[in-house]
Amino acid sequence: DTGVSQDPRHKITKRGQNVTFRCDPISEHNRLYWYRQTLGQGPEFLTYFQNEAQLEKSRLLSDRFSAERPKGSFSTLEIQRTEQGDSAMYLCASSLAGTPLLNTGELFFGEGSRLTVL
Amino acid sequence: GENVEQHPSTLSVQEGDSAVIKCTYSDSASNYFPWYKQELGKGPQLIIDIRSNVGEKKDQRIAVTLNKTAKHFSLHITETQPEDSAVYFCAASLMEYGNKLVFGAGTILRVKS
């Protein structure tokens, strides 16, 4: 297993355009998380899935943001009508949750997708 | 909701010295406290974690201590090496609630050789 992979690694777009990021988690992991990280800050939680169900969305996630995990495997994060304030690193993480014995708590992060909105 | 504060924001130490990073959290229900290391251009990677039923945990040169009463926890790195230079983040969560981590703002650690 190669870990969590994200695509694209870098995206430059003009304000008002739509962008989509993809995350492929570690194959046996049932939980998938999206975080956003701006320069000099820690990652901020956006949303998470358990299998295909989106269980929580942060108030940070405006209506322009939508995330899906249709088959409980890969996930996409779409940002519509991008704004300059959306410029950030979008991090995906996955984990295995189940019985307390299986749930080590560790989130495995990908290397992120850096978005620059001009 | 949970709020995590982290200090210092930058830390420079001489190779071989120890480094200490401190965090405080606000939600007494939080029961899981990991530390992540992030190198340039990479995602955060877990280096050590501690649960609320334990006061201290050690893994080679790295240790974490937790004071539940005061709601603070600390990362200790001994015998620092240049490869320890990175950004370190503390985090807190309630594992039963989706293990949604709330991160501190990070500490830039520079180890001078």
Side-chain angles (χ1 to χ4, degrees):
Chain A
D1 195 349
T2 56
V4 178
S5 62
Q6 294 189 242
D7 184 71
R9 294 291 313 280
H10 303 275
K11 179 72 177 178
I12 300 174
T13 191
K14 292 183 179 178
R15 184 166 51 93
Q17 298 294 303
N18 299 343
V19 296
T20 300
F21 301 115
R22 175 180 170 125
C23 171
D24 287 90
I26 293 172
S27 57
E28 64 268 26
H29 285 183
N30 53 1
R31 281 198 185 153
L32 186 147
Y33 306 77
W34 285 100
Y35 282 80
R36 179 170 65 190
Q37 186 176 26
T38 53
L39 201 62
Q41 297 298 316
E44 294 176 297
F45 170 80
L46 293 179
T47 188
Y48 91 97
F49 294 82
Q50 177 132 341
N51 300 314
E52 65 274 11
Q54 188 173 18
L55 296 188
E56 187 172 344
K57 294 188 337 181
S58 164
R59 286 172 293 176
L60 292 174
L61 214 63
S62 76
D63 292 344
R64 297 183 297 106
F65 288 70
S66 62
E68 293 183 342
R69 193 184 184 198
K71 296 181 181 178
S73 56
F74 74 91
S75 175
T76 58
L77 177 68
E78 181 184 17
I79 309 173
Q80 296 182 325
R81 305 180 303 281
T82 52
E83 302 172 356
Q84 287 184 327
D86 297 331
S87 296
M89 176 76 84
Y90 290 86
L91 291 165
C92 176
S94 70
S95 72
L96 180 63
T99 65
L101 197 62
L102 286 176
N103 187 4
T104 65
E106 181 173 1
L107 267 59
F108 293 81
F109 282 87
E111 297 196 331
S113 293
R114 180 168 295 284
L115 173 65
T116 302
V117 181
L118 301 176
Chain B
E2 177 64 274
N3 182 52
V4 177
E5 294 191 355
Q6 183 171 346
H7 300 280
S9 56
T10 60
L11 179 60
S12 290
V13 299
Q14 203 65 35
E15 182 178 358
D17 288 350
S18 295
V20 181
I21 303 170
K22 298 182 179 182
C23 289
T24 60
Y25 61 99
S26 61
D27 189 349
S28 56
S30 291
N31 59 8
Y32 176 67
F33 307 93
W35 287 87
Y36 281 79
K37 176 183 181 182
Q38 187 172 30
E39 296 176 337
L40 202 60
K42 296 190 176 181
Q45 184 174 14
L46 180 73
I47 55 171
I48 195 167
D49 56 14
I50 192 167
R51 301 195 185 195
S52 58
N53 58 349
V54 175
E56 184 173 358
K57 184 176 178 181
K58 192 172 181 180
D59 182 5
Q60 299 182 338
R61 296 186 297 108
I62 295 173
V64 57
T65 58
L66 171 65
N67 183 328
K68 283 192 299 182
T69 304
K71 290 190 282 188
H72 66 68
F73 56 113
S74 300
L75 176 71
H76 304 253
I77 305 174
T78 58
E79 302 172 15
T80 52
Q81 301 167 1
E83 52 265 37
D84 293 330
S85 296
V87 183
Y88 291 81
F89 293 99
C90 62
S93 78
L94 179 59
M95 287 189 71
E96 293 79 5
Y97 190 57
N99 202 22
K100 177 189 66 179
L101 297 177
V102 176
F103 285 85
T107 297
I108 300 171
L109 174 64
R110 297 191 185 94
V111 180
K112 298 174 285 185
S113 56

